[in-house]
Amino acid sequence: MLKRQPENILSQIDTLQKLDTLLKVLRVAIYVRVSTDKQEEEGESLETQEARCLERVVSEKYQINKERHIYREAYTGTVLDRPVLNRLRQDAANGEFDVIIFYAYDRLARKQILQAVLVEFFNSRNIKMISVTENFDESAIGNFMRNTAAFAAEYELEKLKERTSRGRSSILNKGQLLGAGRPTYGYEWTKERRGYLINLREAEIVDLVFDLYVDKQWTLYAIMNHLREKYPDHNRKGKKGTEQWSKSTVFRMLKNPYYIGKGT
């Protein structure tokens, strides 16, 4: 009787393992990111990125747990220490998925070195990386093209920072405001967003707060309750509607240098 050679047995086992891998339904995770609310509104929103990634999941017949393995983040891509990315990496280390899909490599990170760290991290765990808008394979040429794209993205980011810095300096040198974000309570932006106009309705409340605190020596808690009772709809509106008056809101108002002529 012929004895089976160990090499033949190992070869058969290897073949069966490869076949099992081919037949296995791969588990996938999706990571989408925007840096700012402005990017969310104007460009590659989280929803847009997610839709493209889900199309790839369907076309590849991957398996996804939508409640757990779709990672959405609004955070700068210039650092690695991000809350959602950290959770993604921990889940990857725990072996929760086999493939990571994202819109573009600059959604993972904006800096070339940070992209390299993430690529090494996922590759070391045999997690396949798929960019739905780019086609970089794992060959030397593919890695070169990915690094070139990362360098270009980082260069554009630095140019944007430089242009923004020059623009802000020019505006400030003219004695104008930057016109970013919400104006201080009691004021509203001019049409060009380069200065303040008094908002009479809000200014009346600011005067009341100072009067209650300085002249009548009310506590922050008492002022807060008074505003909640008399002016429940006069606080600023946040993303979820009108924000409720709080002690911290009153405290920030009293400490704001704009109200004593020291704002810049």
Side-chain angles (χ1 to χ4, degrees):
M1 176 184 251
L2 293 176
K3 292 185 178 180
R4 295 197 179 196
Q5 297 298 319
E7 294 80 4
N8 292 336
I9 296 174
L10 291 175
S11 177
Q12 291 176 20
I13 292 174
D14 184 57
T15 301
L16 289 173
Q17 288 177 337
K18 289 180 179 179
L19 181 61
D20 181 64
T21 301
L22 290 173
L23 295 176
K24 178 183 177 183
V25 177
L26 296 178
R27 301 161 302 162
V28 67
I30 289 175
Y31 178 79
V32 294
R33 182 188 65 81
V34 293
S35 297
T36 63
D37 291 338
K38 185 176 180 181
Q39 183 180 11
E40 170 73 13
E41 294 168 359
E42 296 180 359
E44 301 157 353
S45 69
L46 294 175
E47 288 77 12
T48 298
Q49 296 178 46
E50 186 176 323
R52 290 291 302 277
C53 291
L54 285 172
E55 288 175 3
R56 189 62 174 266
V57 171
V58 173
S59 68
E60 298 288 348
K61 295 181 173 59
Y62 290 142
Q63 181 183 70
I64 185 168
N65 182 334
K66 292 184 179 180
E67 286 71 32
R68 179 166 178 80
H69 292 144
I70 295 181
Y71 303 80
R72 307 173 183 91
E73 187 154 54
Y75 212 91
T76 177
T78 60
V79 297
L80 277 183
D81 187 11
R82 294 174 242 154
V84 178
L85 180 64
N86 289 342
R87 180 164 61 85
L88 169 71
R89 296 177 70 184
Q90 184 59 57
D91 291 347
N94 292 339
E96 294 191 15
F97 50 84
D98 311 295
V99 182
I100 173 72
I101 297 181
F102 42 90
Y103 188 77
Y105 273 92
D106 68 359
R107 297 302 84 205
L108 284 181
R110 290 298 298 265
K111 293 186 175 181
Q112 185 177 357
I113 185 63
L114 301 185
Q115 283 189 20
V117 170
L118 291 175
V119 169
E120 171 62 24
F121 173 83
F122 289 116
N123 285 346
S124 67
R125 288 160 177 79
N126 296 316
I127 295 175
K128 184 178 181 180
M129 304 178 70
I130 297 178
S131 166
V132 298
T133 60
E134 300 155 325
N135 186 23
F136 303 134
D137 57 36
E138 293 303 313
S139 66
I141 294 177
N143 288 330
F144 172 77
M145 295 300 294
R146 177 176 53 78
N147 289 333
T148 300
F151 173 78
E154 189 172 346
Y155 177 66
E156 286 299 320
L157 179 62
E158 292 302 319
K159 285 204 304 182
L160 176 61
K161 287 181 179 178
E162 194 272 336
R163 286 196 300 267
T164 301
S165 177
R166 281 192 288 111
R168 287 178 174 175
S169 296
S170 176
I171 291 170
L172 292 174
N173 288 336
K174 294 176 183 178
Q176 299 175 332
L177 298 174
L178 293 174
R182 295 188 295 184
T184 301
Y185 192 87
Y187 297 92
E188 58 190 45
W189 289 117
T190 61
K191 184 177 180 180
E192 299 79 14
R193 295 179 70 86
R194 290 292 177 262
Y196 279 162
L197 297 174
I198 294 177
N199 182 311
L200 295 178
R201 186 197 69 172
E202 294 181 351
E204 179 182 343
I205 295 175
V206 174
D207 287 340
L208 173 64
V209 168
F210 275 87
D211 178 62
L212 295 176
Y213 185 77
V214 177
D215 296 333
K216 298 184 179 180
Q217 298 186 346
W218 283 27
T219 65
L220 298 179
Y221 185 78
I223 296 173
M224 175 196 74
N225 285 333
H226 182 73
L227 294 176
R228 287 184 177 183
E229 180 181 352
K230 298 294 185 181
Y231 305 97
D233 300 322
H234 282 59
N235 201 1
R236 288 287 172 80
K237 288 186 177 181
K239 292 183 177 180
K240 297 182 179 179
T242 302
E243 298 172 354
Q244 191 174 36
W245 291 105
S246 66
K247 288 195 297 182
S248 61
T249 302
V250 175
F251 179 76
R252 287 196 301 270
M253 186 179 291
L254 292 168
K255 296 287 288 185
N256 195 318
Y258 274 103
Y259 299 134
I260 57 174
K262 294 184 178 181
T264 56

